[in-house]
Amino acid sequence: NLKIKFKLFASLSKHLPEGSVGNSTFIEILADTSIHDVLVRYEIPKDTVHLVLLNGIYIEPEDRETPIFSEGDVLALWPPVAGG
């Protein structure tokens, strides 16, 4: 198992598990977990996630189905930002 930091911003933060501090928490995942698997586990609809950063690096939508995590990674998710 790997322990990673999981951060959700704006409207996505409601999906964080109980006991989360601010907009982040630590979660345990299996080594073969993908970003998509994390979305499913926390019931985050794929179409509500716009920006995905792993350790500050943007992950393209087509790479979100492949296991890419290492111990201590930081996964941060943002919804599409409405501007104006």
Side-chain angles (χ1 to χ4, degrees):
N1 286 9
L2 304 172
K3 189 175 186 179
I4 65 165
K5 190 168 195 173
F6 186 41
K7 301 171 85 168
L8 296 177
F9 293 92
S11 58
L12 297 178
S13 60
K14 66 179 183 252
H15 296 285
L16 281 167
E18 246 181 75
S20 300
V21 178
N23 65 337
S24 68
T25 191
F26 285 94
I27 60 171
E28 293 252 344
I29 59 170
L30 298 173
D32 63 352
T33 299
S34 71
I35 291 170
H36 177 71
D37 296 332
V38 174
L39 298 183
V40 170
R41 177 172 161 186
Y42 290 98
E43 300 177 357
I44 303 170
K46 211 166 157 178
D47 61 357
T48 65
V49 176
H50 175 66
L51 185 62
V52 174
L53 298 182
L54 184 62
N55 302 323
I57 298 167
Y58 177 71
I59 305 299
E60 297 284 351
E62 59 270 17
D63 296 329
R64 298 175 189 174
E65 309 269 339
T66 309
I68 51 173
F69 291 109
S70 299
E71 179 71 25
D73 279 349
V74 178
L75 175 63
L77 309 177
W78 280 266
V81 177

